[in-house]
């Protein structure tokens, strides 16, 4: 089973050691240069088994204007180098001033990887809001077997793939790069790594930008989920407001929230026929809740049509198989090491019921995604959420989208308050603001990373 080798206190006080191998760069295609360093599999036992970390660099365009190295983590937890290859244009402006460096986290791709036997069960393309205890029990058993197989395949990495270990890896990367201070940009889950680093090595932070932060500082699952649920509920209301003003909406001129309530009530009582999804196909309330995407404006026209047809008695659009893309299999092991979610059916249902008080239409569904990842996995309390209070930090820039129900602004403000001198930048947008190309956010980020200039307190960027 997945092992927990160190305690929370031990995590904070783990010894630091330089990488065992020097870093040299070689051309690896697509304008990137790649290298490798060696680090301990367990930073609590630095003389024990060793692993390698694979790095890639997008070099600065002009040595005359180069200001240093920016280490980037795009989120996940997942591989980084292959993602940078396809997304490098989004960071082209940053290469005016920086070498942009990424590294694959331990367990992924170019770093010492873990090949889990078989595939992880994926409920995301069906009902990730489970309809009953029996369906969830079957899924939990599948995920348990997958987790045990991963633990056996992980070898010396078993129990050591959390962001506490990752923060030490990040420090080893800084040392190998020869940078006196770390300049860091963490996107989405990459912010968990950034905050962990800031807590462990506050004196070694130069500048740090955290975009759409995932909150790893809140031990209360109810508080953590409520922030997400309220934004998701607001997004449903935003969808309804759009429909009221846009004649192209299939529900234009109707009370959208009333239609939603009626469809969900009917589907909960008796699944709605979905003839276009196959013989005998139907869509119950949990399937509709799983498939209704309210977060992104681009999905609203399809959602409106799906609701209109379901209200008329045909839920085919909700019942058709989804073409969603699954995260890397090993991602859930790393995710649940950082967020050991209470995934017993009764616990998830209790969280759902609590969320329904404040977010009764759709926000309550946020109780389920982490349960999908963590149900049945060997329970590893490697690096659980907890408040941070690092001292001696430089000013840090934290940005979040007002409509982001994965990384809600309330969570971003909570993180900002714990990082002395940090500044929160709000934007009328969703997730991954810089990567999405928000020009206002990008301007503030460039000004901060190159000159240390934070936006004025209370700044909000308008719609991109």
């Amino acid at each position: 089973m997945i092992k927990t080798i160190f305690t929370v206190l031990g995590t904070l006080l783990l010894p630091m050691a330089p990488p065992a191998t020097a870093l040299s760069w070689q051309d690896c295609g697509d304008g990137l240069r790649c290298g490798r360093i060696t680090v301990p599999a367990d930073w609590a036992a630095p003389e024990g088994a060793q692993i390698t970390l694979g790095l890639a660099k997008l070099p600065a365009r002009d040595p005359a204007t180069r200001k240093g190295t920016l280490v980037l983590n795009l989120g996940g937890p997942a591989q980084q180098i292959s993602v940078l290859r396809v997304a490098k244009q989004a960071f082209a402006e940053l290469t005016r001033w920086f070498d942009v460096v990424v590294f694959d986290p331990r367990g992924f791709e170019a770093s010492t990887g873990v090949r889990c036997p078989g595939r992880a069960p994926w409920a995301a393309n069906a009902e990730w809001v489970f309809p009953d205890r029996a369906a969830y029990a079957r899924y939990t058993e599948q995920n348990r077997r997958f987790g045990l197989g991963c633990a056996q395949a992980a070898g010396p990495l078993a129990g050591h793939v959390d962001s506490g270990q990752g923060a030490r890896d990040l420090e080893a990367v800084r040392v190998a790069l020869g940078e006196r201070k770390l300049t860091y940009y963490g996107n989405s889950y990459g912010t968990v790594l950034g905050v962990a680093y800031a807590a462990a090595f506050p004196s070694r932070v130069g500048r740090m930008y955290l975009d759409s932060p995932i909150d790893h500082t809140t031990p209360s699952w109810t508080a953590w989920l409520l922030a997400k649920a309220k934004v998701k509920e607001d997004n449903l209301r935003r969808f309804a407001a759009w429909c009221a003003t846009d004649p192209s909406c299939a529900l234009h001129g109707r009370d959208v929230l009333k239609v939603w309530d009626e469809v969900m009530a009917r589907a909960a009582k008796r699944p709605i026929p979905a003839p276009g999804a196959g013989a005998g196909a139907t869509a119950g309330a949990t399937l509709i809740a799983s498939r209704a995407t309210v977060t992104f404006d681009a999905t609203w026209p399809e959602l409106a049509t799906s609701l209109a047809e379901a209200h008329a008695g045909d839920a085919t659009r909700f019942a058709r198989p989804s073409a969603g893309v699954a995260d890397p299999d090993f991602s859930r092991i790393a995710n649940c090491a950082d967020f050991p979610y209470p995934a017993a059916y009764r616990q998830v249902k209790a969280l759902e019921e609590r969320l329904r008080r404040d977010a009764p239409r759709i926000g309550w569904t946020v109780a389920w995604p982490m349960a999908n990842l963590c149900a049945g996995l060997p329970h590893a309390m490697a690096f659980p959420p907890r408040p941070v209070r690092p001292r001696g930090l430089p000013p840090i820039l934290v940005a979040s989208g007002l409509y982001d129900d994965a990384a809600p602004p309330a969570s971003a403000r909570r993180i900002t308050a714990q990082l002395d001198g940090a500044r929160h930048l709000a934007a009328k947008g969703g997730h991954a603001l810089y990567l999405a190309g928000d020009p206002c956010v990008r301007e503030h980020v460039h000004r901060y990373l190159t000159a240390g200039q934070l936006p004025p307190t209370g700044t909000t960027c308008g719609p991109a």
Side-chain angles (χ1 to χ4, degrees):
M1 67 188 298
I2 297 178
K3 306 186 295 267
T4 301
I5 299 300
F6 50 88
T7 64
V8 169
L9 180 59
T11 301
L12 291 172
L13 300 177
L14 285 176
M16 187 62 223
T21 54
L23 176 58
S24 62
W25 299 103
Q26 296 84 38
D27 190 315
C28 55
D30 299 312
L32 300 182
R33 296 184 63 78
C34 294
R36 301 173 74 83
I37 63 172
T38 301
V39 299
D42 176 9
W43 281 100
E47 302 304 320
Q50 304 291 296
I51 62 170
T52 58
L53 299 179
L55 292 81
K57 174 171 65 174
L58 196 59
R61 284 181 269 165
D62 185 353
T65 59
R66 180 183 179 275
K67 291 181 177 289
T69 299
L70 172 69
V71 180
L72 168 68
N73 186 293
L74 289 162
Q79 66 277 4
Q80 301 293 310
I81 296 174
S82 59
V83 177
L84 181 63
R85 287 186 189 278
V86 299
K88 63 181 182 179
Q89 192 56 39
F91 307 104
E93 280 189 90
L94 290 172
T95 61
R96 290 171 56 192
W97 311 287
F98 300 103
D99 292 332
V100 175
V101 171
V102 301
F103 68 96
D104 282 339
R106 48 179 56 214
F108 293 93
E109 285 199 353
S111 296
T112 296
V114 177
R115 287 188 173 272
C116 298
R119 297 289 296 175
W122 291 102
N125 290 347
E127 288 180 89
W128 54 263
V129 179
F130 282 84
D132 53 51
R133 184 185 295 270
Y136 189 65
R138 290 191 295 271
Y139 178 86
T140 297
E141 176 56 24
Q142 293 170 359
N143 206 38
R144 185 189 72 84
R145 291 197 300 267
F146 169 76
L148 290 173
C150 279
Q152 292 172 356
L157 277 176
H160 307 306
V161 293
D162 57 90
S163 292
Q165 296 278 354
R168 272 72 196 167
D169 293 343
L170 181 53
E171 171 63 358
V173 167
R174 180 196 67 82
V175 172
L177 292 170
E179 294 292 321
R180 189 178 66 86
K181 300 273 189 176
L182 175 72
T183 303
Y184 180 78
Y185 165 6
N187 177 72
S188 189
Y189 204 93
T191 63
V192 177
L193 180 61
V195 172
Y197 183 91
F201 304 103
S203 65
R204 297 170 193 171
V205 176
R207 290 171 189 156
M208 181 175 287
Y209 169 56
L210 305 175
D211 189 317
S212 307
I214 306 298
D215 187 8
H216 191 258
T217 72
T218 305
S220 166
W221 294 111
T222 300
W224 191 73
L225 291 168
L226 266 174
K228 299 169 179 279
K230 290 177 179 178
V231 176
K232 191 166 187 177
E233 196 81 355
D234 286 343
N235 284 336
L236 181 63
R237 288 190 282 266
R238 286 199 308 120
F239 161 66
W242 163 79
C243 213
T245 59
D246 192 328
S248 70
C249 173
L251 292 171
H252 183 66
R254 300 170 67 180
D255 185 332
V256 173
L257 296 181
K258 182 180 179 182
V259 170
W260 171 269
D261 291 343
E262 290 174 352
V263 166
M264 291 296 284
R266 191 183 312 164
K269 186 175 181 180
R270 184 177 182 179
I272 300 171
T282 60
T286 52
L287 180 58
I288 293 172
S290 299
R291 296 290 182 81
T293 303
V294 298
T295 303
F296 308 106
D297 299 20
T299 67
W300 288 351
E302 172 67 17
L303 176 59
T305 301
S306 299
L307 282 173
E309 292 179 359
H311 194 265
D314 182 354
T316 294
R317 290 176 184 267
F318 286 118
R320 282 177 180 149
S322 169
V325 178
D327 288 332
D329 283 339
F330 192 62
S331 175
R332 66 180 58 193
I333 306 298
N335 202 321
C336 296
D338 286 338
F339 295 94
Y341 195 73
Y345 185 77
R346 60 176 177 78
Q347 293 174 308
V348 184
K349 289 297 288 185
L351 288 168
E352 175 193 309
E353 290 305 314
R354 171 59 190 89
L355 298 180
R356 283 181 181 271
R357 298 180 210 166
D358 294 277
R361 287 190 165 101
I362 196 170
W364 58 270
T365 61
V366 304
W368 286 96
M370 284 299 296
N372 276 249
L373 296 181
C374 302
L377 291 185
H379 205 57
M381 292 287 287
F383 192 60
R386 58 185 177 271
V388 295
R389 284 292 180 187
R391 295 290 180 255
L393 282 172
I396 289 174
L397 178 59
V398 183
S400 64
L402 297 176
Y403 314 136
D404 187 353
D405 51 46
S411 295
R413 290 192 296 269
R414 184 184 299 118
I415 293 168
T416 303
Q418 296 175 70
L419 304 174
D420 286 347
R423 185 70 48 82
H424 178 234
L425 172 64
K428 292 181 178 178
H431 199 65
L433 296 163
Y434 186 97
L435 187 58
D438 185 305
C440 171
V441 170
R442 291 173 74 95
E443 181 179 348
H444 284 297
V445 170
H446 295 160
R447 195 175 295 130
Y448 165 71
L449 289 176
T450 59
Q453 183 179 340
L454 291 168
T457 301
T459 299
T460 297
C461 285

